[in-house]
């Protein structure tokens, strides 16, 4: 299945995470206009004098024949990154005013990241936590790992009102190896606490990327109509004539979002904000940027 | 504040429309989920409070618009309080039993009104105070607060007559009476009828409990004589419209009403419609003479409603008049007097159409004739003084009817020269009947064209011939070509000449059955208030003090109307109040010359209430709608900003 003939939106609508993730990643990679071939992980950098104890396999015999001296080839070794993907599974992720819910969008993002990581010889890991369930899949580089992650995502169901802070707070215990930490959530909790906890990860040497997912109505509401809005976590309701408040609502939301972005930036955290109608390409490309590929 | 069209109040139910819209609008909400309501709460915290106020204001505005429209169509007006004038003002304070509750407050009100009226009056005016129940008791100003409620019943007639006597003795040029009362137990709902005695202006100021009785006689209708008698008196059919005010329970559909009028107790089971029921009753001539009825009313319904009320109410007397009958031919006994049949005919049916005529008979005209109508029966010999008195009477607007038969030819020549036309014996003296009559003659509408009830059945002979000249109008013409009745203007007055004798002999004119209706119609014609009407045209709202005459009144001989164009007057839209001719001319700004040039009295004039006219209402309606439209748009615009 080619991403050229299948729109990403259609891929997002596919329930099967594997097909969706592979489709998204393949489409993304073909869009980069680069060879998808993955070659040697080692690249020659320079020569140095042979010292005792060096592996004789790394001696450049051709250079010895010309110069009669022993030189050893030096290579840049390819580092295997750990990609920690933590997904918020609180009840607010169930919000679905577009064609898919925030949870489904988050799962597809996590699956696509896992698949891309494995294709890049990185080791994806998955952390999901809510009121009823806590699961952690250790990082590993294999296609089985990809399927483990898919299985875990498929089995998980969002519920409860556990704040994302508590998940981020525990991440340093799970992310023992330095790597890239993706936190996929709506971040509608106490943002100061969230960022403070995430800053701990940054200080540990992790690259922290917040993937913030909104339902389109959360960001912009609708244009008009009389609505009774239910908060999925607190179950509170508010009724209003939307046309009377929509502009003010957007102002308040944008102000909050700008503040959150600024705070993340100050702490060295990347923030990618996406609506459930947006493309996942930003997430994937940010991953590749962080990986230095 | 009162309303011209209180019936429009029914449209107040339209207030339900905005209420319904308001309620329905609040109920239509679509459910939607959000990950968090935190932003919504932040917005609504400030927005919703204003939004609620805004909605409430809008709702109130819509309701107010409906109320305003209803109020406008009800045409509110403020009744200007009647001004108290005169060199003497008599204030009567009701201390009867019905005023017992809150009498102290009432006394305070009495004192307050006394102060206000004192300020209005000129310094030289005299104020006399009386307390009353069934009689009046003089009091001083300082005594008002020490008045005590006597617990006696009220007799307004007696009180007002006593007051009238007092004013007469005081010999004041002008006086007015202010009556402070709750009008309890009298059944008078139309206060304008409360003008007893008629020559004293009475202003009624209601105390706090005006007309609170449960049953009132609000109207007396269809007063028709019954040709039967009780103890030698004629009986009259009357319809009494009783208004039933029931508090604290539902209006009964039928009521058993017992009433005691003329000392006889009657009962009727009546249907109540819109709180009113009609009592068919009979009253005697004697009661009618009193011009008011006392009655005891008892109501009992199936719903255990029992009401007892004692009522007095005044009969509406439409027309009054004093008639002086001059007897020109005195017979051996009363029966042979020429005036006998005329007087008897008037008295026997004197209250036909509810008229009140007071007749006097004389054989000698007084020096100064004080009567609304003078009837000369067989006039023969008059002294110079009598003739000059008659001249003066006619010139000052008096009305005279002359019955003159063949004997008139032997009347003294001086009298004949006083007539504005010549009268001689008719050359055609064959018995004849009436051939034609002037259809514009008001009284002839009585005759319906049937043989038995037609003027043509009247049989006459030996009539006199009246000179045909300008100003002599034929009213009834005989088959033989001669004229039976003519009308001529003399000075400001008018003369109705009947060319037939009113004595028993001759054609027995006066004993024929058509004579009585004819005489009644003639008298009615002369005394009637149905004078030529003024046609008045209107262009805008009138203010009485600013009214001005656009052109002088023109008399139309054909239509018998005066046409006056008055700026700012609409007969249909205005509440007409009759003014005297003088007041009318003053209002129109006419000079006395103009007044003299008119042939008849005119009495139609207006006194508009301070009320909104339909054309003004629409301005307000449009203004109100525009206001609502602007406010609605302002609110709508702000939503989009």
């Amino acid at each position: 299945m080619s991403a050229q003939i299948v729109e990403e939106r259609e891929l997002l609508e596919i329930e099967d995470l594997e097909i969706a993730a592979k489709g998204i990643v393949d489409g993304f990679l073909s869009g980069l206009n680069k060879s998808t071939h993955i070659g040697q992980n080692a690249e020659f950098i320079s020569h140095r004098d042979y010292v005792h104890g060096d592996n004789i396999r790394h001696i450049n015999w051709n250079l010895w024949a010309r110069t009669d001296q022993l030189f050893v080839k030096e290579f840049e070794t390819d580092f295997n990154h750990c990609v920690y993907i933590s997904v918020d599974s609180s009840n607010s992720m169930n919000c679905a005013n577009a064609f898919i819910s925030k949870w489904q969008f988050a799962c597809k993002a996590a699956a696509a990241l896992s698949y891309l990581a494995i294709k890049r010889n990185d080791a994806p890991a998955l952390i999901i936590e809510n009121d009823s369930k806590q699961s952690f899949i250790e990082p590993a580089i294999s296609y089985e790992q990809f399927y483990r992650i898919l299985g875990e995502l498929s089995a998980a169901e969002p519920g409860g009102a556990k704040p994302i802070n508590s998940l981020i707070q525990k991440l340093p215990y799970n992310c023992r190896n330095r790597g890239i930490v993706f936190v996929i959530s709506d971040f509608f909790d106490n943002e100061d606490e969230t960022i403070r906890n995430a800053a701990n990860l940054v200080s540990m040497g992790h690259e922290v990327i917040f993937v913030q997912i909104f339902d389109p109505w959360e960001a912009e509401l609708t244009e008009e109509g009389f609505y009774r809005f239910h908060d999925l976590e607190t179950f509170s309701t508010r009724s209003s004539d939307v046309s009377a408040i929509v502009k003010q609502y957007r102002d308040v939301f944008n102000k909050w979002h700008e503040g959150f972005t600024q705070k993340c930036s100050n702490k060295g955290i990347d923030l990618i904000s996406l609506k459930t109608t947006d493309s996942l390409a930003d997430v994937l490309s940010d991953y590749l940027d962080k990986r230095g590929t | 504040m009162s309303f011209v069209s209180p019936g429009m109040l029914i449209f107040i139910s339209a207030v339900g429309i905005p209420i319904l819209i308001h309620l329905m609008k609040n109920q239509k909400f679509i459910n939607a989920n959000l990950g968090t309501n935190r932003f919504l709460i932040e917005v609504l915290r400030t927005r919703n409070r204003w939004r609620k106020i805004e909605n409430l204001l809008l709702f109130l505005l819509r309701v107010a618009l409906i109320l305003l429209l209803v109020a406008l169509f009800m045409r509110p007006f403020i009744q200007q309080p009647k001004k108290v004038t005169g060199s003497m003002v008599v204030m009567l304070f009701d201390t009867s039993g019905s005023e017992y509750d809150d009498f102290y407050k009432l006394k305070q009100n009495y004192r307050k009104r006394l102060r206000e009226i004192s300020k209005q009056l000129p310094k030289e005016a005299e104020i006399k105070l009386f307390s009353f129940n069934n009689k009046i008791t003089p009091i001083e100003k300082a005594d008002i607060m020490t008045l005590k409620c006597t617990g006696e019943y009220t007799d307004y007639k007696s009180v007002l007559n006593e007051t009238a006597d007092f004013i007469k003795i005081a010999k004041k040029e002008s006086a007015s009476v202010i009556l402070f009362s709750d009008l309890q137990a009298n059944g008078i709902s139309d206060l304008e009828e409360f003008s007893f005695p008629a020559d004293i202006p009475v202003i009624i100021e209601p105390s706090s409990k005006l007309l609170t009785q449960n049953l009132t006689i609000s109207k007396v209708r269809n007063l028709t004589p019954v040709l039967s008698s009780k103890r030698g008196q004629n009986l009259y059919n009357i319809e009494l419209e009783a208004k039933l005010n029931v508090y604290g329970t539902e209006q009964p559909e039928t009521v058993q009403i017992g009433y005691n009028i003329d000392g006889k107790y009657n009962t009727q089971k009546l249907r109540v419609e819109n709180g009113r029921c009609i009592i068919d009753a009979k009253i005697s001539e004697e009661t009618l003479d009193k011009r008011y009825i006392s009655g005891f009313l008892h109501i009992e319904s199936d719903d255990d409603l029992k009401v007892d009320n004692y009522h007095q109410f005044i009969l509406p007397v439409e027309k009054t008049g004093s008639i002086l009958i001059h007897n020109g031919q005195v017979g051996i006994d009363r029966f042979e007097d020429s005036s006998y049949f005329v007087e008897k005919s008037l008295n026997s049916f004197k209250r036909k159409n509810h008229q009140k005529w007071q007749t006097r008979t004389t054989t000698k005209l007084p020096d100064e004739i004080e009567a609304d109508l003078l009837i000369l029966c067989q006039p023969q010999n008059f002294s110079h003084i009598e003739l000059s008195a008659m001249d003066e009477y006619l010139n000052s607007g008096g009305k005279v009817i002359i019955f003159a038969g063949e004997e008139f030819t032997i009347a003294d020549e001086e009298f004949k020269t006083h007539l504005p036309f010549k009268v001689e014996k008719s050359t055609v003296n064959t018995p004849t009947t009436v051939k034609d009559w002037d259809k514009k003659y008001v009284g002839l509408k009585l005759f319906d064209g049937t043989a038995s009830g037609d003027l043509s059945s009247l049989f006459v002979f030996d009539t006199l011939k009246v000179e045909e000249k300008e100003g002599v109008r034929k009213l009834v013409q005989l088959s033989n070509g001669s004229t039976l009745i003519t009308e001529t203007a003399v000075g400001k007055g008018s003369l109705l000449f009947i060319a037939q004798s009113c004595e028993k002999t001759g054609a027995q004119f006066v004993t024929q059955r058509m004579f009585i209706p004819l005489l009644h119609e003639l008298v009615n014609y002369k005394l009637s208030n149905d004078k030529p009407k003024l046609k008045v045209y209107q262009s805008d709202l009138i203010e009485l003090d600013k009214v001005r005459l656009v052109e002088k009144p023109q008399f139309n001989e054909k239509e018998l109307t005066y046409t006056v164009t008055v700026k700012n007057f609409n007969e249909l839209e205005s509440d007409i109040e009759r003014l005297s001719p003088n007041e009318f001319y003053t209002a129109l700004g006419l000079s006395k010359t103009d007044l003299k040039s008119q042939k008849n009295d005119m009495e139609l004039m207006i006194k508009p209430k301070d009320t909104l006219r339909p054309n003004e209402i629409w301005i307000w309606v449009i203004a109100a709608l525009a206001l609502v439209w602007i406010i609605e748009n302002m609110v709508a615009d702000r939503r989009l900003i």
Side-chain angles (χ1 to χ4, degrees):
Chain A
M1 189 180 290
S2 168
Q4 288 168 336
I5 56 169
V6 180
E7 291 290 329
E8 188 178 332
R9 175 174 172 155
E10 288 170 341
L11 289 165
L12 285 169
E13 284 177 6
I14 295 169
E15 278 193 21
D16 190 301
L17 279 175
E18 183 188 356
I19 297 169
K22 284 179 177 176
I24 291 163
V25 171
D26 289 344
F28 167 73
L29 291 175
S30 68
L32 289 177
N33 201 20
K34 282 184 181 178
S35 168
T36 56
H37 171 72
I38 309 290
Q40 289 287 336
N41 283 334
E43 196 170 332
F44 170 77
I45 292 176
S46 63
H47 289 97
R48 66 169 171 84
D49 290 338
Y50 173 79
V51 291
H52 183 73
D54 282 342
N55 194 338
I56 57 168
R57 284 167 59 193
H58 292 148
I59 294 171
N60 190 338
W61 294 111
N62 290 334
L63 195 62
W64 169 75
R66 286 205 299 273
T67 62
D68 200 20
Q69 283 185 2
L70 286 173
F71 291 95
V72 178
K73 286 182 187 173
E74 279 190 337
F75 296 92
E76 184 186 44
T77 56
D78 193 7
F79 182 73
N80 288 328
H81 294 274
C82 284
V83 181
Y84 297 98
I85 304 165
S86 54
V87 184
D88 177 9
S89 61
S90 64
N91 206 29
S92 65
M93 296 299 282
N94 266 331
C95 184
N97 291 310
F99 59 95
I100 57 169
S101 68
K102 288 197 292 184
W103 169 250
Q104 289 166 323
F105 190 85
C107 286
K108 267 138 196 170
L113 280 171
S114 309
Y115 182 63
L116 185 60
I118 286 165
K119 285 193 87 169
R120 293 289 177 181
N121 278 347
D122 286 342
L126 182 71
I127 305 123
I128 296 176
E129 186 181 301
N130 60 25
D131 285 347
S132 56
K133 189 179 179 183
Q134 188 173 1
S135 60
F136 173 60
I137 298 173
E138 294 277 355
I141 307 171
S142 68
Y143 275 98
E144 287 79 13
Q145 173 76 349
F146 173 57
Y147 291 113
R148 272 197 295 276
I149 288 172
L150 291 188
E152 197 62 40
L153 286 172
S154 302
E157 275 185 12
K162 200 160 191 175
I164 190 69
N165 296 331
S166 62
L167 176 65
I168 297 172
Q169 208 168 9
K170 290 173 188 169
L171 282 179
Y173 303 104
N174 295 323
C175 307
R176 283 187 288 262
N177 298 323
R178 283 201 309 171
I180 305 165
V181 180
F182 284 93
V183 183
I184 305 174
S185 173
D186 48 20
F187 298 101
F188 286 150
D189 295 322
N190 186 336
E191 60 265 24
D192 290 333
E193 204 175 326
T194 303
I195 291 168
R196 195 167 52 247
N197 291 332
N200 293 337
L201 288 169
V202 175
S203 63
M204 286 168 66
H206 290 292
E207 293 284 349
V208 180
I209 301 169
F210 282 178
V211 181
Q212 190 175 27
I213 298 171
F214 306 127
D215 186 85
W217 281 30
E218 287 172 344
E220 296 172 345
L221 278 186
T222 182
E223 285 299 333
E224 58 182 14
F226 288 85
Y227 282 92
R228 180 174 289 115
F229 295 103
H230 300 265
D231 187 318
L232 287 169
E233 289 192 0
T234 62
F235 302 107
S236 66
T237 58
R238 290 288 184 281
S239 305
S240 181
D241 174 8
V242 173
S243 58
I245 59 161
V246 62
K247 189 188 171 293
Q248 212 174 341
Y249 180 91
R250 286 173 187 174
D251 289 345
V252 169
F253 181 84
N254 289 336
K255 193 178 170 187
W256 171 82
H257 186 252
E258 280 169 17
F260 186 61
T261 309
Q262 187 61 45
K263 284 172 187 171
C264 288
S265 173
N266 292 343
K267 295 291 180 184
I269 301 165
D270 277 6
L271 176 69
I272 304 165
S273 297
L274 296 171
K275 283 182 271 186
T276 54
T277 51
D278 289 344
S279 164
L280 281 169
D282 285 347
V283 184
L284 301 178
S285 63
D286 203 54
Y287 158 62
L288 292 181
D289 285 347
K290 294 292 173 194
R291 195 183 174 278
T293 309
Chain B
M1 183 184 284
S2 306
F3 297 95
V4 176
S5 312
M8 300 297 287
L9 192 64
I10 196 169
F11 291 106
I12 207 152
S13 54
V15 167
I17 297 169
I19 294 172
L20 213 60
I21 291 170
H22 189 76
L23 292 175
M24 284 170 69
K25 203 173 176 181
N26 279 346
Q27 285 171 351
K28 283 184 180 174
F29 281 108
I30 304 164
N31 288 319
N33 293 331
L34 287 180
T36 181
N37 273 351
R38 58 186 285 187
F39 309 114
L40 207 58
I41 290 166
E42 193 177 332
V43 172
L44 294 180
R45 192 180 296 135
T46 52
R47 176 74 192 172
N48 252 17
R49 194 176 302 143
W50 170 239
R51 186 77 192 143
K52 277 179 186 170
I53 296 168
E54 198 176 68
N55 273 342
L56 188 67
L57 284 173
L58 207 59
F59 166 68
L60 290 176
L61 190 72
R62 286 168 179 159
V63 170
L65 176 72
I66 300 283
L67 292 177
L68 178 69
L69 291 182
V70 172
L72 285 172
F73 280 101
M74 283 169 71
R75 297 175 61 192
F77 66 91
I78 298 165
Q79 190 83 46
Q80 293 295 328
K82 288 182 181 175
K83 273 195 174 177
V84 182
T85 55
S87 57
M88 175 187 266
V89 175
V90 179
M91 295 173 77
L92 301 170
F93 302 117
D94 190 351
T95 57
S96 63
S98 59
E99 300 280 20
Y100 186 78
D101 296 336
D102 295 332
F103 191 59
Y104 182 75
K105 276 188 182 175
L106 211 58
K107 286 190 287 189
Q108 286 180 321
N109 186 42
Y110 289 164
R111 193 169 61 175
K112 186 183 164 193
R113 286 296 294 138
L114 174 63
R115 282 197 207 113
E116 288 170 358
I117 290 166
S118 304
K119 283 179 189 172
Q120 286 177 20
L121 288 172
K123 283 181 183 175
E124 61 274 15
E126 195 178 350
I127 299 179
K128 289 286 176 187
L129 308 180
F130 293 91
S131 66
F132 77 91
N133 36 59
N134 49 15
K135 59 183 180 183
I136 58 173
T137 311
I139 57 167
E140 294 299 321
K141 286 182 186 176
D143 295 340
I144 288 183
M145 291 311 290
T146 58
L147 278 175
K148 284 185 180 171
C149 200
T150 58
E152 294 281 340
Y153 67 92
T154 317
D155 185 344
Y156 291 101
K157 186 191 173 190
S158 166
V159 165
L160 289 170
N161 278 327
E162 278 185 47
T163 310
D165 291 342
F166 172 80
I167 294 168
K168 204 172 179 182
I169 293 164
K171 290 183 179 173
K172 290 287 176 184
E173 285 179 3
S174 58
S176 57
V177 176
I178 306 170
L179 184 83
F180 293 88
S181 173
D182 59 355
L183 299 181
Q184 280 279 31
N186 59 53
I188 301 162
S189 62
D190 190 349
L191 300 183
E192 285 177 14
E193 289 175 11
F194 204 91
S195 52
F196 199 138
D199 55 345
I200 299 173
V202 177
I203 297 169
I204 296 175
E205 290 219 1
S207 62
S208 54
K209 295 171 290 183
L210 178 64
L211 297 177
T212 53
Q213 66 263 45
N214 289 327
L215 183 72
T216 60
I217 299 297
S218 56
K219 274 183 187 169
V220 181
R221 301 189 304 200
N222 290 356
L223 188 73
T224 52
V226 187
L227 295 179
S228 63
S229 63
K230 175 193 161 195
R231 293 195 295 273
Q233 286 188 335
N234 287 332
L235 292 179
Y236 289 81
N237 272 334
I238 54 168
E239 277 186 6
L240 305 174
E241 187 180 288
K243 189 180 174 190
L244 191 65
N245 299 314
V246 178
Y247 304 107
T249 179
E250 282 186 16
Q251 190 84 255
E253 288 185 1
T254 56
V255 287
Q256 183 83 21
I257 289 190
Y259 59 94
N260 188 342
I261 294 177
D262 284 343
K264 191 182 176 187
Y265 189 77
N266 301 287
T267 59
Q268 279 181 21
K269 190 166 187 179
L270 301 169
R271 187 173 180 78
V272 181
E273 285 179 356
N274 299 325
R276 290 167 194 278
C277 54
I278 307 293
I279 305 168
D280 290 318
K282 289 184 175 62
I283 57 169
S284 67
E285 194 173 19
E286 189 184 348
T287 308
L288 196 59
D289 270 341
K290 293 177 190 168
R291 292 176 59 204
Y292 74 98
I293 298 173
S294 303
F296 177 79
L297 287 156
H298 170 76
I299 292 183
E300 199 169 315
S301 78
D302 299 337
D303 306 327
D304 298 329
L305 172 73
K306 285 183 182 175
V307 182
D308 289 334
N309 277 106
Y310 177 77
H311 288 280
Q312 277 182 307
F313 50 92
I314 298 169
L315 292 173
V317 178
E318 291 174 0
K319 297 151 192 168
T320 60
S322 63
I323 302 171
L324 179 63
I325 304 170
H326 177 258
N327 186 2
Q329 191 182 40
V330 183
I332 299 164
D333 58 25
R334 179 84 175 93
F335 186 68
E336 289 182 349
D337 289 354
S338 59
S339 64
Y340 174 76
F341 289 104
V342 172
E343 188 184 11
K344 186 171 170 54
S345 299
L346 290 175
N347 285 337
S348 301
F349 294 89
K350 65 183 175 185
R351 286 172 199 91
K352 181 178 169 295
N353 291 332
H354 202 194
Q355 294 165 102
K356 173 78 177 175
W357 295 333
Q358 292 169 340
T359 57
R360 286 178 290 137
T361 309
T362 180
T363 54
K364 190 186 176 191
L365 289 176
D367 299 349
E368 194 178 336
I369 300 169
E370 287 182 352
D372 295 320
L373 179 65
L374 172 65
I375 299 177
L376 301 179
C377 301
Q378 297 296 97
Q380 287 184 12
N381 299 309
F382 291 105
S383 66
H384 289 293
I385 298 168
E386 282 179 297
L387 286 173
S388 67
M390 193 168 68
D391 282 346
E392 197 180 327
Y393 177 67
L394 272 169
N395 286 324
S396 62
K399 296 152 192 174
V400 178
I401 295 177
I402 298 176
F403 284 94
E406 199 178 34
E407 292 79 0
F408 187 72
T409 50
I410 59 166
D412 62 71
E413 290 299 319
E414 194 177 351
F415 173 67
K416 287 180 187 173
T417 56
H418 271 77
L419 293 178
F421 43 78
K422 285 181 182 173
V423 180
E424 56 189 31
K425 194 172 180 181
S426 174
T427 51
V428 190
N429 272 333
T430 50
T432 184
T433 53
V434 173
K435 182 191 174 192
D436 196 12
W437 58 87
D438 189 336
K439 292 235 168 62
K440 290 189 183 69
Y441 167 41
V442 182
L444 289 179
K445 66 190 174 189
L446 172 79
F447 304 104
D448 57 6
T450 58
S452 58
D454 201 293
L455 193 61
S456 59
S457 66
L458 202 60
F459 177 74
V460 293
F461 68 90
D462 286 348
T463 55
L464 294 172
K465 187 182 177 186
V466 178
E467 179 192 11
E468 289 186 16
K469 62 183 283 192
E470 196 181 347
V472 179
R473 192 153 69 97
K474 288 179 186 177
L475 293 184
V476 179
Q477 193 178 23
L478 297 172
S479 300
N480 61 11
S482 59
T483 308
L484 179 64
I485 302 170
T486 59
E487 188 181 27
T488 315
V490 182
K492 278 199 261 175
S494 67
L495 180 69
L496 205 67
F497 190 85
I498 299 155
Q500 180 72 82
S501 165
C502 62
E503 61 176 341
K504 184 188 169 190
T505 56
Q508 293 187 327
F509 178 57
V510 294
T511 56
Q512 292 182 51
R513 81 182 279 272
M514 286 312 295
F515 174 74
I516 295 170
L518 177 66
L519 179 66
H520 272 262
E521 289 308 312
L522 292 174
V523 172
N524 189 42
Y525 173 56
K526 298 312 284 181
L527 292 179
S528 168
N529 285 326
D530 297 334
K531 293 287 156 29
K533 292 272 172 66
L534 287 171
K535 278 187 181 174
V536 187
Y537 302 94
Q538 177 263 348
S539 63
D540 206 341
L541 181 69
I542 191 169
E543 289 175 45
L544 189 61
D545 54 342
K546 290 179 185 170
V547 69
R548 67 185 177 84
L549 190 67
V550 176
E551 58 186 43
K552 289 181 181 178
Q554 300 292 319
F555 184 69
N556 186 328
E557 289 283 351
K558 265 191 173 181
E559 295 182 2
L560 298 176
T561 55
Y562 289 94
T563 303
V564 179
T565 305
V566 178
K567 197 184 175 192
N568 300 337
F569 172 55
N570 186 339
E571 192 175 13
L572 295 174
E573 288 301 326
S574 298
D575 302 288
I576 294 169
E577 184 170 296
R578 287 172 188 276
L579 298 184
S580 70
N582 279 330
E583 285 172 319
F584 174 75
Y585 274 90
T586 308
L588 292 182
L590 288 173
S591 64
K592 285 185 178 176
T593 319
D594 295 322
L595 185 63
K596 279 177 187 170
S597 70
Q598 303 310 313
K599 295 182 181 177
N600 275 315
D601 290 341
M602 289 179 289
E603 56 179 297
L604 178 68
M605 200 34 217
I606 45 129
K607 188 180 178 188
K609 287 177 182 173
D610 185 14
T611 174
L612 290 164
R613 314 288 149 157
N615 56 346
E616 289 175 323
I617 286 174
W618 286 114
I619 293 168
W620 283 100
V621 169
I622 291 165
L625 287 172
L627 183 70
V628 170
W629 185 81
I630 290 166
I631 292 172
E632 291 251 17
N633 273 282
M634 278 169 63
V635 172
D637 286 347
R638 211 150 40 71
R639 283 178 191 158
L640 298 174
I641 291 166

